[in-house]
Amino acid sequence: MGSDRVRLNVGGKPFVTSRTTLANAGRGSMLAAMIDENWDLVSELVSEEIFIDRNPSYFSVLLDLLRTGELHIPSGMSEKALYREAEFYGITDRVRHARKGPLDGNRLECVASISGRATGDGTAIRASPDGGCCVAHGSMVHVYNWAMEEQIPLTLDYVNVNDVGFLNPNCVVICTCERGDRAGGMASFNVTSGKLVHKFQVCHDDQLKNFTAGALASSDVHLYASCRGRSYEYGIGTWDQATGQQINFLYETPGRPLGDACKLQWLPQSNLLLVATLFPRSDHSFVSLLDFRTKGKVWSWTDSCQRKSADEKIVMDAVAMEECSTVCVVNQFDNLGFIDMRNSSHPVRWSHRYRSARVSECEERCYSKLAVSGSQLFSSKNDSVYVFCSPDWDAARGVQTARLRKTEGGGAISDISVGGDSLFVLHNEINVFDVWETPGSSGIAEVL
Amino acid sequence: MSQAKKKTFKIEPFKHKVEMDPKYAEKTWKILEDAIHEIYNHNASGLSFEELYRNAYNMVLHKYGEKLYSGLVNTMTQHMREIARNVEAAQGGLFLEELDSKWREHNKSLQMIRDILMYMDRTYVNNFNKTPVHELGLNLWRDNIVRSPKIRDRLLDTLLDLVHRERTGEVINRGLMRNITKMLVDLGPTVYQEDFERPFLDAASEFYRLESQQFIETSDCADYLRKAEKRLNEEIDRVTHYLDPKSEAKITSVVEREVIGNRMKLLVEMDNSGLVSMLIDDKYDDLGRMYNLFRRVSTGLQTIREVMTGHLRDTGRQLVLDPERLKDPVEFVQRLLDEKDKYDKIIQLSFSNDKTFQNALNSSFEFFINLNARSPEFISLFVDDKLRKGLKGVSEEDVESVLDKVMMLFRYLQEKDVFEKYYKQHLAKRLLSGRTVSDDAERSLIVKLKTECGYQFTSKLEGMFTDMKTSRDTMQGFNATLAGSESNEGPTLAVQVLTTGSWPTQSGARCNMPREIFEMCNKFKQYYLSTHTGRRLTWQTNMGTADLKATFGNGNKHELNVSTYQMCILCLFNIADHLTYREIEQATDIPAPDLKRSLQSLACVKGKNVLRKEPMSKDISEDDVFLFNDKFSSKFYKVKISTVVAQKESEPEKQETRQKVEEDRKPQIEAAIVRIMKARRLLDHNNIISEVTKQLQARFLPNPAVIKKRIESLIEREFLERDRGDRKLYRYLA
């Protein structure tokens, strides 16, 4: 006792390290528990060294991580296997932090391009809070964990998926289209077991109603969805994530289209929900911010009175930049527009940065998609994602700072999503998505 | 695992399906189960952490998480039941100790089990929304031990019994108590609250209800408060030693309710030792204790305040309306000041300078001082007394403090204008007779009045001081011209020129002055009018003084300091030796009451009787004869003969002052009405009354009936009119 030195034997290979290094792993890890005094006396009685029945080559990489705080993966070593070992030792979080830093649009690296099994037509990609993601292909939802290992594919009666979203890293919610005369459904699933957790339903006057959910968004405790039903069920439904019970339903009123909304976004700082009803679903664009505590609209914008010429600009996607108090929109010509959400009745300030003569040469063109992280705006165009950075106080002053382009022949980008410090880019033509991350404190020697 | 089988090798056909040993899960779980048993039996030294961890990891990896988890629950439950049996079997006092030591062991075991099953905790528990191992261990302990029917009640009874024993003075094992309550807190706040705190509070409530009943029957108020304070501190002490800190507010509120709140009325009203007698006897400590304890109860301070106010008002009323006290104004005011000092000190020392108490004190004083209509006069007289003689040889700070106290009483007065009237009179007398002790003190009081009531209030008083100063200058000039012109034969004249209006002028009673004086007066008049044109001088003979040199029998020479009237009378005796009352009255033309008073002071005061009177009697009658007292002697060269004056006002004088005050108020009330109406144009009767009262409050409290009369007078003079539609409304006529 008294000595700081610890002798380990991992899979036959001796390692000598110190208690302090192992304690670095944190109390919740296997390595720290092993040298805890509860167990410590024991091992010293039995033998001088502690035996661990694992592969020594991975252990040496992980031990190095504990010693230096940096992760160096030797060439030829499988990253997945390394993660599995980290999981065994209980130091996954440390590995993840070493690998990935906070998302910085100007320092992104493409860490993976994942090809899925399904045939084309990826409709939506959504990031999970822990760095995983899910991709909706027709009626299937493929879920990938943070290490990009594919989980059990999910489906809700093999009906086409309208939207998907993560409630937490373990739970995905899916809503589907109507099929024939049956309305769509909405349910959450456990991603590891693939089991159904909750079915979300709409009640009106104590009667269950048929409805189809269009778009999803979730706060810490609630789940929101835009709903269309047969009679009254047009509006935004709210459910409790933990119990699956409906707690609220905000009906749409004339001049306030909610049920057809194709994009919802929860704004955590201001406790508001952005609801956007856009072109393919309706003739006029309508964007509003709702406060569910007062059940009222706090801000809205619409282009219903502005349409006139053939040159008209139709808003194709909208996203709120909460830090800049701005709603960003993009039109069919890929122009970015900014609307101040601090006061109503402000017009869109369009930025004509890259209006191009050749509007579309690709046969199958995808409209721009938007995603936001802090005051960084990501906008897709054709097969690239452009990064715009702006001062906090005015998103319209943002400048394009980077262009991300990876997969050759992936074709146009159909959707992008930001979350868990990763940017996910889904290509339209072949079923492949790219994962972009900012490297952590350590460099990764070789990725593949 | 085991490979030591001495059998010949047999090559089996290759199986397509790789199946895991069907007993794999059973075997692995057996290893883990045994380990858990060993851990609970303190026999963990033979275990290898790595092996156990790896086995648990493998079970979860191979989808036996469910089996592992339910096995854990079963095994732990089994152990909990066994522990429960052990604890139940513990005898008497060992019960808690057994529970405590088992709890500590359980915590340690739980820690080790959690270490082994860490991987399951991270993955299986997380994915399938199970209770994490640590929490599971606590829940099992709660359900199988703390809340098992045989232990639950016994545990509660034991704890409550220990607390009770400590309350009755026994020494208990506080460390053990702390461990047990901490266990309850660790099991979740609801366990602590439901299984211990609530019954604990009920027991405390019952205990203190009985005890306070017993206390109140056997002890006096001060004693009771001491006991209550001690109990309260004990309970707070108890919380810090072995209860959850959150209990402090709850248990103190129980003690406060039972020991203080419910007994408050009884305590305060206790005969011979309650609040009133504490106040009378200046029991600062007891009062402070009462304040600190009662403050904890919502209506506590209010109760103290009400009783104090009631007592103050009663004693104050007695003080103010006691006919004996009214005889001596100085004593009267001094008593008020003493009373104020007494309560100031109580509030400062015992009630931590509580503002609400100060307000209560002030409102009580305001209440009873104004019960006596003569308070303003008395306060002015008190000041007069202090400034005449009382402050001789007193340091400047003490003077200030006396004046400050007087100002404080002044603040309580509602009829400040009455005070002003009297103060003016008294100040005039002081100034004219040159009797004020300190000019600084006079001025300092004026400044105080000015800050309190504004410039208007003191402008006339300040005018009086200015008059005194200009008079001195005028006299210097006059004397200089006299010295320059003729022989300065004859008497020396000192004149004080008073501005009409600034001074309280009494009806300018005239008298015939001796010839020499009269000539000097005329000279002054000439001189004054030559420097100040367009003015009129009137002689206020009733206010002057004179120094006479007189020679008595045996050549005794004396200087007599007398009033102007007395001088006139004495000068008559230069040419005659005896005169009748009527002769004197005729010669001097002095008003009868003044003449009588002057003669009385000249003839009837022992040791200062420069005149003799026949017949010898105390009172002056119109048939008396006065003789020059040749035999007058005194050991002093200077003899001051003061006029017999009533220091207090006589009844008619009082009426007169009162009337004057009322008369002075009329224009003030009218001015206020006009000011208000000018701003508001249209106002109803009640609002005018309340606004006028508000405006004039600083000076006096106007009577609504008087205000009404003034309004009527203003309507007559067409400043206002009644609204034609609503008779209650008045309209301003510009």
Side-chain angles (χ1 to χ4, degrees):
Chain A
M1 284 297 282
S3 162
D4 192 38
R5 195 179 300 179
V6 181
R7 289 154 60 84
L8 299 173
N9 182 329
V10 181
K13 191 173 171 191
F15 288 88
V16 180
T17 181
S18 64
R19 277 166 203 283
T20 33
T21 301
L22 293 181
N24 259 345
R27 185 63 190 85
S29 72
M30 178 265 190
L31 291 174
M34 189 174 64
I35 55 155
D36 189 83
E37 55 184 4
N38 279 342
W39 299 99
D40 205 27
L41 295 168
V42 180
S43 56
E44 279 201 332
L45 277 176
V46 176
S47 70
E48 290 276 301
E49 55 177 29
I50 306 172
F51 174 74
I52 301 177
D53 186 10
R54 302 302 291 187
N55 188 327
S57 50
Y58 296 110
F59 182 75
S60 79
V61 173
L62 294 173
L63 186 60
D64 236 31
L65 169 68
L66 294 181
R67 284 172 175 151
T68 62
E70 293 178 14
L71 184 66
H72 292 280
I73 306 175
S75 58
M77 178 175 281
S78 154
E79 218 177 317
K80 257 182 200 171
L82 182 70
Y83 293 154
R84 188 195 59 219
E85 290 302 302
E87 183 94 27
F88 176 85
Y89 297 113
I91 53 173
T92 320
D93 285 346
R94 294 205 44 124
V95 172
R96 221 183 308 173
H97 279 119
R99 249 208 52 189
K100 187 158 77 169
L103 190 71
D104 178 352
N106 302 318
R107 284 177 57 231
L108 287 176
E109 285 179 13
C110 182
V111 292
S113 285
I114 314 287
S115 307
R117 278 181 209 92
T119 52
D121 278 356
T123 47
I125 189 160
R126 297 285 180 265
S128 131
D130 75 339
C133 71
C134 61
V135 184
H137 292 279
S139 61
M140 298 295 289
V141 174
H142 296 273
V143 184
Y144 298 83
N145 71 6
W146 68 273
M148 287 305 127
E149 292 169 326
E150 186 167 357
Q151 312 284 306
I152 295 168
L154 303 173
T155 175
L156 193 58
D157 289 342
Y158 300 99
V159 185
N160 267 356
V161 173
N162 269 343
D163 198 3
V164 288
F166 280 93
L167 296 181
N168 58 57
N170 278 323
C171 193
V172 160
V173 58
I174 301 174
C175 57
T176 56
C177 306
E178 52 269 82
R179 179 170 57 183
D181 56 346
R182 284 179 56 201
M186 183 170 156
S188 60
F189 295 87
N190 184 306
V191 295
T192 37
S193 63
K195 282 187 181 146
L196 185 131
V197 180
H198 292 300
K199 237 183 141 113
F200 298 96
Q201 290 172 313
V202 170
C203 251
H204 182 75
D205 291 339
D206 288 332
Q207 279 188 312
L208 286 182
K209 295 286 180 182
N210 276 328
F211 77 102
T212 303
L216 298 168
S218 61
S219 67
D220 288 346
V221 287
H222 294 152
L223 168 68
Y224 304 93
S226 60
C227 304
R228 282 169 293 137
R230 292 266 157 73
S231 46
Y232 294 109
E233 302 76 28
Y234 271 75
I236 306 286
T238 311
W239 292 267
D240 187 289
Q241 287 182 11
T243 64
Q245 294 300 307
Q246 181 191 348
I247 49 176
N248 206 336
F249 199 90
L250 196 60
Y251 292 96
E252 83 172 33
T253 53
R256 187 171 78 172
L258 299 176
D260 278 325
C262 52
K263 176 134 185 176
L264 303 185
Q265 183 189 0
W266 175 252
L267 309 182
Q269 285 163 33
S270 41
N271 276 315
L272 299 173
L273 185 75
L274 173 116
V275 181
T277 310
L278 302 173
F279 168 60
R281 292 270 182 92
S282 77
D283 293 341
H284 294 295
S285 306
F286 184 83
V287 183
S288 59
L289 294 174
L290 304 179
D291 189 337
F292 278 83
R293 290 163 299 187
T294 61
K295 292 193 173 189
K297 178 183 78 179
V298 288
W299 178 91
S300 71
W301 170 88
T302 178
D303 65 354
S304 58
C305 46
Q306 289 165 359
R307 293 267 171 90
K308 40 185 185 232
S309 61
D311 193 30
E312 63 185 42
K313 294 172 180 142
I314 306 170
V315 172
M316 304 306 293
D317 195 10
V319 71
M321 293 176 80
E322 213 179 351
E323 290 189 9
C324 312
S325 302
T326 302
V327 174
C328 303
V329 295
V330 65
N331 66 9
Q332 75 272 37
F333 308 118
D334 304 329
N335 293 331
L336 289 176
F338 301 91
I339 319 171
D340 193 336
M341 65 188 206
R342 279 167 298 205
N343 31 23
S344 279
S345 74
H346 256 242
V348 185
R349 285 184 287 167
W350 290 104
S351 116
H352 301 278
R353 193 168 292 109
Y354 48 42
R355 181 171 188 177
S356 55
R358 41 176 197 116
V359 170
S360 171
E361 285 175 4
C362 326
E363 286 172 25
E364 201 176 352
R365 187 175 176 275
C366 290
Y367 292 113
S368 277
K369 292 282 181 179
L370 298 173
V372 153
S373 165
S375 58
Q376 300 171 36
L377 176 67
F378 300 90
S379 158
S380 67
K381 185 196 168 195
N382 297 334
D383 62 350
S384 303
V385 175
Y386 295 84
V387 183
F388 296 86
C389 293
S390 64
D392 287 349
W393 39 272
D394 191 359
R397 291 182 184 241
V399 290
Q400 183 183 329
T401 56
R403 176 186 182 209
L404 313 173
R405 186 160 178 269
K406 173 70 186 175
T407 308
E408 292 291 338
I413 293 168
S414 61
D415 199 10
I416 58 175
S417 178
V418 167
D421 287 326
S422 300
L423 165 69
F424 299 94
V425 178
L426 181 65
H427 292 273
N428 187 42
E429 232 153 281
I430 56 168
N431 177 24
V432 61
F433 67 88
D434 302 331
V435 186
W436 296 80
E437 286 169 1
T438 299
S441 50
S442 61
I444 298 172
E446 265 174 63
V447 180
L448 292 168
Chain B
M1 313 271 151
S2 70
Q3 15 159 232
K5 283 189 177 174
K6 295 260 171 172
K7 265 193 175 178
T8 48
F9 275 99
K10 192 172 142 194
I11 297 170
E12 293 191 5
F14 182 75
K15 284 179 183 168
H16 285 277
K17 228 172 150 189
V18 182
E19 229 174 49
M20 205 180 278
D21 179 359
K23 288 191 179 154
Y24 164 78
E26 280 304 325
K27 279 186 194 159
T28 320
W29 166 241
K30 190 82 183 66
I31 295 170
L32 288 168
E33 190 185 14
D34 288 347
I36 293 173
H37 286 312
E38 295 297 309
I39 287 170
Y40 269 107
N41 296 333
H42 320 296
N43 208 6
S45 52
L47 302 174
S48 154
F49 170 73
E50 190 273 339
E51 185 193 335
L52 297 172
Y53 183 91
R54 177 157 39 83
N55 280 326
Y57 170 83
N58 283 331
M59 275 189 84
V60 175
L61 205 64
H62 296 121
K63 308 261 181 283
Y64 291 111
E66 173 61 34
K67 183 176 175 61
L68 180 59
Y69 193 84
S70 60
L72 172 73
V73 173
N74 287 337
T75 316
M76 287 229 291
T77 311
Q78 206 178 314
H79 278 281
M80 292 303 115
R81 295 211 176 114
E82 195 186 320
I83 291 173
R85 276 194 294 280
N86 282 335
V87 173
E88 280 162 24
Q91 295 298 310
L94 293 175
F95 169 69
L96 279 190
E97 273 163 46
E98 180 73 10
L99 183 63
D100 179 39
S101 77
K102 289 285 184 223
W103 165 246
R104 260 180 287 148
E105 285 166 21
H106 173 65
N107 263 331
K108 195 177 167 199
S109 307
L110 191 57
Q111 177 70 52
M112 292 173 83
I113 294 170
R114 185 167 68 157
D115 283 348
I116 300 172
L117 302 177
M118 193 182 281
Y119 187 79
M120 179 188 81
D121 238 0
R122 253 199 325 266
T123 52
Y124 174 79
V125 166
N126 212 358
N127 286 343
F128 291 87
N129 286 331
K130 301 279 182 187
T131 315
V133 174
H134 183 75
E135 214 182 314
L136 174 74
L138 295 184
N139 290 350
L140 288 175
W141 179 270
R142 178 191 67 201
D143 298 339
N144 290 296
I145 294 173
V146 173
R147 285 184 171 170
S148 87
K150 283 190 186 157
I151 294 180
R152 187 177 190 157
D153 294 343
R154 188 173 166 195
L155 174 63
L156 180 62
D157 290 347
T158 315
L159 291 177
L160 292 183
D161 181 53
L162 282 173
V163 172
H164 183 79
R165 271 155 61 184
E166 199 184 39
R167 281 196 185 117
T168 52
E170 280 183 49
V171 176
I172 63 161
N173 185 348
R174 288 181 152 188
L176 186 59
M177 280 292 279
R178 185 178 52 237
N179 290 347
I180 299 292
T181 53
K182 180 149 187 324
M183 171 187 84
L184 295 175
V185 174
D186 286 348
L187 291 176
T190 54
V191 177
Y192 174 78
Q193 280 162 15
E194 284 169 21
D195 291 17
F196 173 70
E197 193 180 53
R198 202 171 302 153
F200 164 74
L201 293 177
D202 290 346
S205 171
E206 179 67 15
F207 177 83
Y208 284 116
R209 198 169 53 75
L210 292 175
E211 194 187 62
S212 65
Q213 181 64 40
Q214 191 197 336
F215 275 177
I216 210 145
E217 282 164 7
T218 55
S219 12
D220 65 6
C221 182
D223 222 23
Y224 183 95
L225 291 176
R226 262 192 291 281
K227 284 176 182 163
E229 189 181 38
K230 185 163 154 269
R231 278 307 193 188
L232 200 59
N233 289 337
E234 275 173 15
E235 289 301 332
I236 293 169
D237 198 43
R238 180 163 297 124
V239 172
T240 55
H241 274 104
Y242 57 77
L243 298 181
D244 186 43
K246 286 199 196 77
S247 296
E248 182 174 321
K250 296 177 193 167
I251 182 67
T252 48
S253 85
V254 166
V255 180
E256 283 156 11
R257 189 183 65 227
E258 293 298 339
V259 181
I260 304 167
N262 293 347
R263 311 284 174 192
M264 210 154 51
K265 269 268 171 294
L266 275 174
L267 278 174
V268 163
E269 289 162 3
M270 215 179 242
D271 290 339
N272 301 325
S273 67
L275 178 56
V276 169
S277 57
M278 283 182 186
L279 288 173
I280 290 172
D281 298 340
D282 293 333
K283 295 265 172 83
Y284 299 124
D285 285 353
D286 293 338
L287 286 169
R289 192 170 291 119
M290 181 180 270
Y291 176 81
N292 283 326
L293 289 174
F294 280 33
R295 188 170 52 176
R296 300 169 153 273
V297 191
S298 61
T299 57
L301 290 187
Q302 196 190 332
T303 311
I304 299 186
R305 250 192 332 264
E306 276 164 10
V307 172
M308 186 187 88
T309 312
H311 171 67
L312 245 175
R313 288 188 179 199
D314 281 354
T315 50
R317 187 204 303 271
Q318 278 168 26
L319 193 76
V320 164
L321 298 180
D322 184 359
E324 280 301 304
R325 298 262 168 261
L326 296 186
K327 286 181 181 163
D328 187 352
V330 177
E331 175 69 11
F332 173 88
V333 175
Q334 191 57 52
R335 287 290 295 256
L336 287 180
L337 288 178
D338 290 349
E339 194 74 359
K340 180 76 167 52
D341 278 350
K342 176 188 166 82
Y343 280 94
D344 274 343
K345 200 161 175 206
I346 288 177
I347 289 176
Q348 187 203 339
L349 291 178
S350 305
F351 298 158
S352 65
N353 273 332
D354 192 318
K355 272 269 176 299
T356 58
F357 278 77
Q358 284 169 353
N359 292 343
L361 177 65
N362 289 341
S363 77
S364 306
F365 264 81
E366 201 174 319
F367 166 76
F368 65 70
I369 280 191
N370 290 303
L371 283 180
N372 189 336
R374 302 188 67 183
S375 293
E377 182 190 349
F378 284 3
I379 293 173
S380 176
L381 279 171
F382 178 80
V383 177
D384 191 48
D385 179 68
K386 289 291 171 205
L387 290 174
R388 263 175 202 274
K389 55 189 176 195
L391 293 172
K392 242 176 229 168
V394 179
S395 77
E396 215 167 286
E397 288 97 72
D398 290 348
V399 175
E400 281 292 304
S401 92
V402 169
L403 294 183
D404 278 339
K405 282 179 184 166
V406 171
M407 283 308 297
M408 191 184 57
L409 289 183
F410 168 74
R411 250 169 248 145
Y412 297 138
L413 290 179
Q414 276 165 2
E415 300 188 302
K416 295 197 171 57
D417 56 341
V418 177
F419 174 84
E420 186 196 358
K421 257 285 110 63
Y422 283 109
Y423 189 77
K424 208 155 124 188
Q425 272 175 29
H426 296 145
L427 175 65
K429 271 185 198 162
R430 283 204 298 280
L431 288 176
L432 293 179
S433 59
R435 297 287 288 280
T436 111
V437 175
S438 149
D439 224 32
D440 287 346
E442 290 280 4
R443 285 189 182 279
S444 143
L445 190 62
I446 301 265
V447 169
K448 285 183 206 304
L449 285 171
K450 197 171 175 176
T451 47
E452 194 67 31
C453 296
Y455 166 77
Q456 194 194 359
F457 194 85
T458 56
S459 64
K460 287 184 180 171
L461 302 180
E462 280 172 336
M464 289 162 77
F465 279 96
T466 335
D467 279 354
M468 294 306 289
K469 195 173 169 294
T470 43
S471 296
R472 269 200 297 279
D473 296 345
T474 315
M475 280 322 291
Q476 266 176 11
F478 175 61
N479 285 337
T481 50
L482 267 193
S485 64
E486 299 162 35
S487 55
N488 49 349
E489 288 281 305
T492 323
L493 189 68
V495 182
Q496 280 144 343
V497 186
L498 313 181
T499 315
T500 325
S502 293
W503 297 74
T505 41
Q506 281 154 0
S507 48
R510 317 218 18 198
C511 77
N512 295 332
M513 279 186 278
R515 195 181 43 78
E516 308 92 313
I517 309 286
F518 190 68
E519 276 171 16
M520 282 307 278
C521 286
N522 278 342
K523 276 185 195 164
F524 177 79
K525 204 166 179 176
Q526 268 172 11
Y527 166 78
Y528 186 79
L529 293 178
S530 69
T531 46
H532 303 82
T533 44
R535 297 208 183 170
R536 226 184 65 190
L537 278 182
T538 330
W539 297 100
Q540 297 279 333
T541 46
N542 54 339
M543 290 157 105
T545 56
D547 290 337
L548 294 179
K549 285 181 183 146
T551 316
F552 295 90
N554 316 337
N556 272 346
K557 287 192 176 178
H558 286 286
E559 197 174 303
L560 303 177
N561 179 264
V562 293
S563 73
T564 308
Y565 287 146
Q566 286 166 342
M567 174 201 63
C568 295
I569 296 165
L570 287 179
C571 282
L572 293 179
F573 288 89
N574 276 341
I575 41 172
D577 263 354
H578 71 93
L579 294 162
T580 63
Y581 175 82
R582 296 214 182 278
E583 282 169 332
I584 295 175
E585 191 178 18
Q586 234 167 19
T588 58
D589 203 12
I590 298 172
D594 290 325
L595 179 60
K596 277 185 184 170
R597 245 194 275 165
S598 305
L599 283 170
Q600 204 175 14
S601 50
L602 287 170
C604 304
V605 179
K606 218 180 160 197
K608 293 182 177 175
N609 49 341
V610 291
L611 295 182
R612 277 189 297 127
K613 184 173 83 87
E614 275 175 6
M616 296 273 277
S617 68
K618 275 275 173 198
D619 290 316
I620 308 290
S621 73
E622 305 208 340
D623 303 323
D624 288 350
V625 176
F626 295 91
L627 301 151
F628 181 64
N629 185 6
D630 218 11
K631 298 191 183 72
F632 175 80
S633 70
S634 169
K635 45 187 173 176
F636 302 110
Y637 174 66
K638 279 192 176 181
V639 179
K640 180 174 165 52
I641 296 171
S642 43
T643 317
V644 177
V645 267
Q647 205 184 13
K648 271 189 299 173
E649 282 192 307
S650 56
E651 203 52 40
E653 269 179 311
K654 206 163 73 189
Q655 294 291 345
E656 197 188 307
T657 319
R658 195 76 225 166
Q659 225 170 11
K660 239 190 253 170
V661 168
E662 293 295 342
E663 210 54 47
D664 279 2
R665 281 179 183 181
K666 283 181 189 168
Q668 290 188 40
I669 296 175
E670 284 180 358
I673 296 171
V674 170
R675 264 199 305 276
I676 292 161
M677 288 308 292
K678 203 168 179 177
R680 310 287 287 269
R681 296 272 148 191
L682 192 71
L683 209 61
D684 68 295
H685 185 76
N686 288 345
N687 272 322
I688 293 191
I689 301 273
S690 72
E691 294 232 357
V692 168
T693 313
K694 211 158 71 190
Q695 277 208 1
L696 294 175
Q697 231 163 19
R699 293 176 61 77
F700 60 92
L701 213 59
N703 186 341
V706 177
I707 300 177
K708 187 155 188 279
K709 261 190 200 152
R710 289 300 99 212
I711 293 175
E712 275 157 11
S713 154
L714 285 170
I715 291 176
E716 257 168 48
R717 283 179 281 160
E718 297 189 331
F719 280 97
L720 308 177
E721 66 171 7
R722 283 185 197 278
D723 191 86
R724 250 157 256 136
D726 185 350
R727 302 290 290 165
K728 279 206 154 204
L729 281 178
Y730 301 110
R731 191 185 301 282
Y732 181 71
L733 297 172

